[in-house]
Structure formats: C-alpha cells, structure tokens
Amino acid sequence: MYKPKAGLPTREQILDFIATSDVPAGKREIAKGFGLSAQDKIGLKALLKDMADEGLIDSAPGRAFHKMGGIPKVTVLRIADVDDGGNVWAVPERWEAEGVPPPRLRVRERKRGALGVGERILARTEEAGNGWIAHPMKVLAPASEQVLGVLREEAGRLWLTGVDKRERREFAVADAGGAAPGDLVLAELAGKPPKIAARVVSKLGDPFAARSFSLIAIHKLGIPDVFSQEALDEAERVSKLPLGEGREDLRDLPIVAIDPEDARDHDDAVWAEADDDPSNAGGWKAIVAIADVSFYVRPKSEVDREARRRGNSVYFPDRVVPMLPEILSAEVCSLKEGADRAALACHLRIGKDGSLKSWRFTRAVVRIAANLAYEEAQAIIDATPPVVDERGDMLSVLQPLWACWHALAKARDARAPLDLDLPERRVVLDEQGRIMSVSPRERLDAHRLIEDYMIAANVAAAKALEAKKAPVMYRIHEPPSREKLAGLKEYLETFDVPFALGQVVRPATFNHIIERIGDADFRPQVMEQILRTQTQAYYAPGNHGHFGLSLGSYAHFTSPIRRYADLLVHRSLVSAYGLGEGGLPADDAANMESVGEIISRLERRAMEAERDTTDRYVAAFLSERIGQVMDVRITGVTNFGFFATVEGIGGDGLMPVRDLGGEYFRFDEGARTLTGEHSGDVFAQGQTLELRLAEANPVSGALRFEMPEGKGAAQPPRGGRKPVREIKRRGRPANIRHQGKRR
C-alpha cells in the first residue's frame, strides 16, 4: 500500500477536506487546499487512487470526490417522493455503492411543491445531522434514457419509433429483449448522437390492439394505475363501515343523479322544491348531495396516500384510472339508484332571482331515486304528452329542478361569465374496444342545469368555510396578463375589431367581442384566440377569484370521488361544522399551498393524457380514410406550415409549407398567416378549407394533410382577408361547451 511522505495530507485530512469543502473537491482543489508542490501532486494522485480502491472515496462526474456512501457536492438527483406534509425527497440518479442503499435527501425548494415525482434536478448537497439536504440549482430536462415506442424492421434491422408526435428521430435497436416488430415497448437509450442505441426493457404489447391507446398515455406520463395491496385491503375494510349515527335522513326525498350516459361514477345528485318560507317568496329550496368520501378515506391512511399521489381520476374512452380503489369509486361512494349512501349535503335557499340566500352543510344518508343520463332527463322534460317513467313520475321530480334552475340561470346571466363554445369530442367504442364513432358531445339544457347547481354548491362551500375562517382549497382562475391582452389586441386588429387595453377587463368584455363579430367567417378563430388569452386555472389556499365564472369565491366541492381538491374541501367542512370524523388535519391545513401546487400539476398531467389518448383514437378512426378529401379548419400557423383539425371529428394534423407549392410563403407572426409571394393565397388561423388526408398515425396521434389536386384560390371572405383555396362558408358552430362538472 502507498505510504504518504512528508508534505502529503493523511487520509483523514483528505476526508475532512472533502466533507467540509464549499465547492466540489477534485484533485486540483485538494492540492490547492493543502498547498502541495508539483512533486507532491504526483503522490496525491496515487494516494487518491489508493483511497478509492480501499472504498474510502468515490468520484463523481467532473472528477470531484466524495466519501464512499456519501453524495457529491453538486450532483443530479431524481425526485422520489412528496410526503403528506408537502416535503420533497430526492435520491441520487447515479448510485453505485454496493450494499449501501441510496440516501434520501430533503429538497429545499425556492417555491414549495414546484417539483414533482420523477423530475430531475441539478442540486448542491450538504450533510445535515444524520441526513442530507439538497438545494436545487436548476431543473433538468426529463431523462432521455427511456423512450416509449414501436419497433419496426427495415433491411433486417430493428428501429424504435417514439410514440410522441413531437419526436422526429428513430433509434437503432441494440437489444430487442424478445420483442418483435410492431410491438409497443419501453426502451432505454445509450450513447451519444449520432450513435444512440435503444435497449428494450419492457414489452407492452400490440399498440394497435383495442384499449391500447390509453396504456400509451399511462406509461408515457407515468400515471399510477395499480393500487398497492395495502390500499386495496384497506378499501375493502372501510367499505363495510356502517353509515353511522347522527346523519340527517334524506331518503324520503326524490333526489336524482344526472350524469353522462357513459359515467363511471356518480359523485353528485340534486333535488329542489318551491320554498314555502314567506321571507323567500317565489324562491326555492335545493339540496346538492355529494358522496361523503371523507367518511371512508381518512387522512394519512393508505387509500389517502394513493389518492394524493394520483391527485385525480383520469378518464379515457376505454377505461378510467380512478383516484380511489374501485370498491369505493364505483361502488360504496358512488350514488347509485335505490341504495343507501353516505352523503355530504349542501342545503341551499335560492331567491327567485337566482341569488344564494343561505346555505348549510350536513352529513346525511340518501337513497337516490334515479340515475339519469343527460339525454334521458332532457327527453322526460321535453316529452309531449308527458311520459311516466317505469321508476315513477320522474316528470314531477324534474320539473321543480328545472324551475329552480331557471332562477339560477338568471343569476348566471347577470354576472356574465365567459361564454365560449368549446367542443368536447366523444369517442364511442363497441364491446371489443373498436371505434364506432367520434363526434362532438351534444349540449343540452340538462348539462347547463347540473353545471349551475354544481357552481352554486361550490360557491356555498367556499363562502361557508370563509365564514368559519377555515382553510379553503380555492379553484382559482386569474384574469389574463397584460402581455396576453396586448397580443389579443394585435390579433383583433387584423380583423378591424377594436380592443382597448386601458379598460377593466371582465369576462363580459370578451363576450361582447364575440357578439360584435356575430356570424362572421372568422368567429371560430377569434374565439380560439380569446381562449388562448386566458390563464390556466389552479388550486391554492389564497383566494384570487374565478375570472372565467365571474365569481369572487369558488372551491371545488362536488367531485370528491375523482378530485383530491374536493376531498380537502370536504374535510375542512367536516372540521369547521363539527360533523364527526374525517376532518382536515392540522398539518394539511398548514401545507395547503404546496398540496395545491402538486394537485394542480397532476391535473395538468391528466388533461394531457386524456387529450393525447383522444387524439390517438381519432387518428385510428381516420386511418381508414387516408386519401380522402375532407373539410378542415386551421388551428395554428407557423413558419413551417399550418395545423388543421377535421371538422366535427377533431385531431390535429400538419400541412407542411413545403407541400403548398413551388412559391415562397411569407409568415406573419402577429397575424398568424402564411401568404404566397406570387399568388397572394393566405392561410390563416380559423379558416376552413378542403385538404386531403395523407397520413394518420394512431400510435402518436399525428395526422398529415396535403393539398387536393386542382384546387385554386377562392374569393375573399367577409372581413377583407383573402382566403385559402376553396374556403367554404359556414355559419356559427353548434353551441357546445365544456361540461360543467370539470370546471
């Protein structure tokens, strides 16, 4: 073994230096720290090698040293967990100490809750007591080591094509791991460009098989879809809990649940009748009964930990990834016809003008009179002559609900919330999971009715907690930023539509723009631009109002089966009103901000998964129509082409600028147009035209269009802008909005 001569530090001195150094300690820093000569540096190199061989130190990327079993001063970490208190924990991305488990580091974030499980950070680390602390320096790009893709064979060689439509590269496969061409696989990447090779680590099956498209999103985005056995066992136990004493008995009231025809769970049910109190003449009494999830899912339980980790249920055309185990989400908590169920009841007194006069909350037992689809409830109301349902006189149950709703609708119209037509696509599958149709969901009064009752209950929940000075997890939608409004002004100027930046902007401001435009050809694209101007809603304990709904206080209360935010609101109500067990713990009350940031991020993940999966189903549906000319509408314009969606079906596809012809097209970023230098043809966001479908990739959800042969320029549309080729005139689109239960 090497014996250090005079002048060299001892092993203990080197270990102390590495541990206490403020910067990553490599050979240069150690030599400088001990004032070593050039000759001593040769001896230091040998000493450090001996210490590494003896297992005393290890080297990190960049040749800095750290104690074996320790962590480099600056290193890459992966977020492994966010605990119930909102604390973020990370582990080293690289860990090679045999027999020593990787340490967990507590991450001190500048903004609590900003980091999510699976994210990578570059961090400065320090040992504190018996543990480690990480100070994030920057968030790194997602690790490129794993790619979800499909194998294909060419000239006897396997290639991996990623499922992400934004991924243009293909990777040579070094190890197929038993997978065959056409299989959907998870692969690890190794090497540096241009020699990156893929090694298959998991075979997921046939990507084109029925019900596979949602699995792609689940794996791609890391959505937890398997409950721990502990959580399943606990859910089984709590499902057998008696409803308990002290509940208000509402079983004699004909409370009904009105949901989508394909609903997988039933959170909410409603009832109304005329108010006989003279102080509310012409007004109404109403009950919004919500599944009492807080009774079954107690804080810090295994089911609660799983629910918080998921944040919300994720709904796909072929399946649901529930926030709660199925025995709770689809059975015991779900408000099913004829079954006694635990509910948290919101009792409302509503004035004849639709104003909320008062509210109270109770734990109750309900027996749902009927589970009705929106279409079914609407048909009963509209039937002439009246039809008696096999469950009894449903018309007499629904008529008071509709009459009370007309009052609520008056209040909604008075506050003038943002009113945009947002089509929602519905993918209909047969029993084998094959696509039968893709179409917009029909918008009925029954949808608006449930939406307005839910909004009233959500407002009541927020105001009730405010009155008790209790914690509130608000649903916040802030007004648009000045930068976004300036962009909208610039955009509207291209249509000669005035928009003053100095005014106080309210939702009605945007509604007036749409009304002013009327049925002009460019109405859809202006509505889309107004939507893009809005901020993204989120959850937080500090109230900033809900701009889109034009409400000062708003919380999500009505969907605790599928949203963790609602469960927190229920627990706070239980605590504030002394309604029994299952209230909000003190540490959750203290950490509402970080929890709000986490569940907001998980909500965005779910939205991305649902959107991507629907795009894949649409692409699969359209893959049988390749070569057909179809009506499309331009949804976005860039310098490399424009994106378009198929009218009435959806799905975004690219029309590359290189395929528009031989002439040069000039891109105007402000107006979002491509203009032919010689022909003057203009391609603009929102315009409709005919394009031929050239490609439809169900695995990535991507479409590609090409120009139909022999098409020329058309006449200018109203509004002054020269159109694209063969633009077809259309009136106002069908009045379809986003379903209110997801606001």
Side-chain angles (χ1 to χ4, degrees):
M1 184 179 293
Y2 179 82
K3 300 290 185 181
K5 60 184 180 181
L8 282 179
T10 65
R11 285 168 169 76
E12 290 72 21
Q13 288 173 327
I14 290 176
L15 290 174
D16 288 342
F17 181 86
I18 291 172
T20 58
S21 174
D22 292 332
V23 296
K27 186 179 70 172
R28 178 181 301 176
E29 288 74 23
I30 296 172
K32 183 178 179 181
F34 288 99
L36 300 184
S37 66
Q39 187 62 33
D40 286 338
K41 290 178 183 178
I42 298 174
L44 176 65
K45 181 178 180 181
L47 174 58
L48 293 173
K49 183 179 185 303
D50 280 350
M51 292 178 68
D53 292 341
E54 292 165 14
L56 295 176
I57 60 174
D58 192 11
S59 61
R63 310 309 299 167
F65 294 98
H66 59 272
K67 289 182 181 180
M68 182 62 75
I71 303 172
K73 290 289 184 183
V74 176
T75 190
V76 177
L77 304 175
R78 177 176 54 81
I79 306 302
D81 187 27
V82 180
D83 65 22
D84 294 334
N87 299 310
V88 179
W89 299 89
V91 296
E93 186 171 64
R94 176 180 175 267
W95 185 255
E96 298 176 357
E98 293 185 10
V100 181
R104 284 163 56 92
L105 298 87
R106 183 171 177 174
V107 181
R108 287 187 176 171
E109 299 182 87
R110 298 188 187 96
K111 184 178 181 183
R112 287 179 61 80
L115 295 171
V117 173
E119 291 192 78
R120 301 167 68 239
I121 59 172
L122 181 67
R124 180 174 58 82
T125 67
E126 64 173 324
E127 202 166 2
N130 295 323
W132 289 84
I133 300 294
H135 302 273
M137 298 168 67
K138 69 175 181 177
V139 178
L140 302 176
S144 59
E145 285 81 10
Q146 290 195 332
V147 170
L148 191 67
V150 177
L151 296 182
R152 72 174 185 86
E153 187 175 16
E154 181 179 323
R157 189 172 185 181
L158 284 177
W159 295 85
L160 178 70
T161 303
V163 299
D164 192 333
K165 67 177 71 175
R166 293 165 294 188
E167 178 58 74
R168 309 278 182 189
R169 300 172 299 168
E170 285 193 319
F171 305 97
V173 178
D175 181 1
D183 283 342
L184 177 67
V185 299
L186 187 64
E188 288 185 347
L189 302 183
K192 296 181 179 180
K195 296 183 179 180
I196 299 179
R199 183 178 67 86
V200 174
V201 296
S202 179
K203 175 183 172 181
L204 304 176
D206 180 1
F208 298 97
R211 309 185 191 280
S212 286
F213 298 138
S214 57
L215 284 177
I216 294 175
I218 289 169
H219 284 279
K220 173 188 169 186
L221 297 172
I223 295 173
D225 64 331
V226 177
F227 287 100
S228 68
Q229 191 58 50
E230 292 81 4
L232 293 174
D233 292 342
E234 183 180 88
E236 185 72 34
R237 288 195 303 272
V238 301
S239 70
K240 297 179 174 59
L241 287 174
L243 295 181
E245 299 180 357
R247 289 184 178 272
E248 183 181 19
D249 193 341
L250 300 177
R251 286 175 290 187
D252 290 338
L253 294 180
I255 302 175
V256 295
I258 305 176
D259 293 289
E261 184 180 10
D262 53 358
R264 274 88 161 201
D265 45 54
H266 307 278
D267 292 272
D268 55 84
V270 290
W271 168 88
E273 72 173 12
D275 194 349
D276 54 6
D277 189 332
S279 65
N280 190 28
W284 301 87
K285 294 187 295 184
I287 294 174
V288 178
I290 306 299
D292 189 2
V293 174
S294 63
F295 177 71
Y296 295 100
V297 182
R298 302 296 171 87
K300 307 299 186 289
S301 65
E302 286 300 319
V303 175
D304 182 50
R305 290 189 182 93
E306 285 276 4
R308 183 175 293 201
R309 188 163 70 97
R310 295 165 184 238
N312 45 251
S313 299
V314 188
Y315 293 88
F316 299 110
D318 60 344
R319 74 184 73 222
V320 59
V321 178
M323 185 179 78
L324 304 175
E326 188 173 354
I327 194 170
L328 297 178
S329 62
E331 296 296 334
V332 177
C333 292
S334 193
L335 304 182
K336 291 190 172 183
E337 180 178 325
D340 290 356
R341 289 288 187 259
L344 196 58
C346 174
H347 296 257
L348 300 170
R349 292 185 66 220
I350 300 167
K352 63 180 180 180
D353 61 351
S355 61
L356 295 184
K357 298 294 187 181
S358 64
W359 48 79
R360 65 185 178 91
F361 292 85
T362 64
R363 268 185 159 156
V365 55
V366 299
R367 184 179 296 158
I368 302 304
N371 286 113
L372 301 174
Y374 288 117
E375 295 79 5
E376 188 178 6
Q378 191 70 55
I380 293 172
I381 282 291
D382 293 342
T384 306
V387 175
V388 177
D389 189 270
E390 65 270 13
R391 288 160 291 198
D393 187 5
M394 279 292 108
L395 181 62
S396 66
V397 175
L398 295 179
Q399 280 179 330
L401 274 173
W402 249 258
C404 178
W405 167 62
H406 287 307
L408 289 173
K410 288 180 185 176
R412 182 196 63 221
D413 292 342
R415 71 173 192 269
L418 188 62
D419 188 14
L420 296 176
D421 295 331
L422 304 176
E424 182 182 355
R425 292 169 291 172
R426 183 188 181 196
V427 178
V428 179
L429 308 177
D430 63 16
E431 293 181 358
Q432 287 72 43
R434 295 171 302 199
I435 307 167
M436 296 178 63
S437 65
V438 180
S439 60
R441 286 187 185 271
E442 187 179 8
R443 179 72 173 174
L444 304 170
D445 282 348
H447 292 104
R448 299 182 180 89
L449 175 141
I450 292 300
E451 178 178 317
D452 284 334
Y453 276 107
M454 296 305 110
I455 289 174
N458 288 338
V459 170
K463 290 185 175 295
L465 290 173
E466 289 171 350
K468 292 283 187 178
K469 294 182 169 30
V472 188
M473 184 62 81
Y474 290 100
R475 178 64 165 179
I476 297 169
H477 181 226
E478 297 186 18
S481 67
R482 181 171 179 82
E483 292 76 14
K484 289 286 189 73
L485 292 173
L488 178 64
K489 173 181 171 62
E490 182 180 351
Y491 181 75
L492 291 175
E493 284 175 352
T494 65
F495 298 101
D496 296 325
V497 176
F499 181 73
L501 285 180
Q503 63 183 311
V504 177
V505 176
R506 298 183 175 88
T509 307
F510 300 113
N511 296 339
H512 292 154
I513 292 173
I514 298 169
E515 292 170 4
R516 192 181 308 135
I517 291 172
D519 290 329
D521 290 352
F522 53 87
R523 177 190 177 95
Q525 65 203 83
V526 170
M527 287 172 44
E528 284 187 6
Q529 189 59 34
I530 290 175
L531 176 62
R532 291 190 175 98
T533 302
Q534 307 306 308
T535 61
Q536 191 166 38
Y538 63 95
Y539 295 105
N543 187 17
H544 298 285
H546 196 296
F547 175 82
L549 292 176
S550 196
L551 291 169
S553 297
Y554 192 67
H556 273 165
F557 160 77
T558 54
S559 296
I561 289 177
R562 64 180 179 87
R563 289 190 306 224
Y564 198 79
D566 302 56
L567 178 55
L568 291 172
V569 170
H570 277 231
R571 287 173 176 168
S572 193
L573 286 166
V574 168
S575 295
Y577 280 82
L579 299 179
E581 296 181 299
L584 188 71
D587 56 348
D588 273 0
N591 293 314
M592 292 281 269
E593 183 174 355
S594 61
V595 174
E597 290 171 346
I598 292 167
I599 59 179
S600 296
R601 183 174 59 249
L602 294 176
E603 178 190 49
R604 291 191 289 272
R605 180 181 70 176
M607 292 169 63
E608 181 181 354
E610 292 171 355
R611 182 181 62 248
D612 286 357
T613 299
T614 300
D615 284 346
R616 290 186 176 95
Y617 271 106
V618 168
F621 183 68
L622 291 174
S623 65
E624 299 180 358
R625 305 185 184 184
I626 290 176
Q628 292 184 15
V629 175
M630 49 191 63
D631 295 330
V632 306
R633 181 164 52 88
I634 297 177
T635 57
V637 181
T638 71
N639 60 349
F640 56 83
F642 60 80
F643 293 91
T645 185
V646 180
E647 291 278 69
I649 295 178
D652 282 325
L654 175 65
M655 177 71 214
V657 70
R658 65 175 182 269
D659 294 340
L660 293 178
E663 70 175 313
Y664 177 77
F665 278 82
R666 194 173 301 280
F667 174 56
D668 185 329
E669 186 174 3
R672 293 172 179 81
T673 60
L674 284 169
T675 304
E677 198 167 59
H678 299 298
S679 66
D681 286 347
V682 177
F683 295 89
Q685 187 175 303
Q687 290 179 324
T688 55
L689 65 158
E690 290 183 339
L691 292 178
R692 188 184 306 280
L693 181 63
E695 293 179 11
N697 186 339
V699 176
S700 66
L703 308 176
R704 186 175 66 81
F705 297 107
E706 59 187 16
M707 295 298 293
E709 295 178 1
K711 298 294 182 181
Q715 296 301 311
R718 286 168 286 172
R721 181 183 279 165
K722 190 172 181 178
V724 299
R725 308 160 193 244
E726 293 295 315
I727 291 179
K728 291 190 173 182
R729 303 295 177 87
R730 284 176 175 78
R732 183 174 179 174
N735 184 24
I736 300 170
R737 296 186 202 172
H738 187 67
Q739 299 302 318
K741 291 189 180 183
R742 294 199 176 225
R743 281 188 180 275

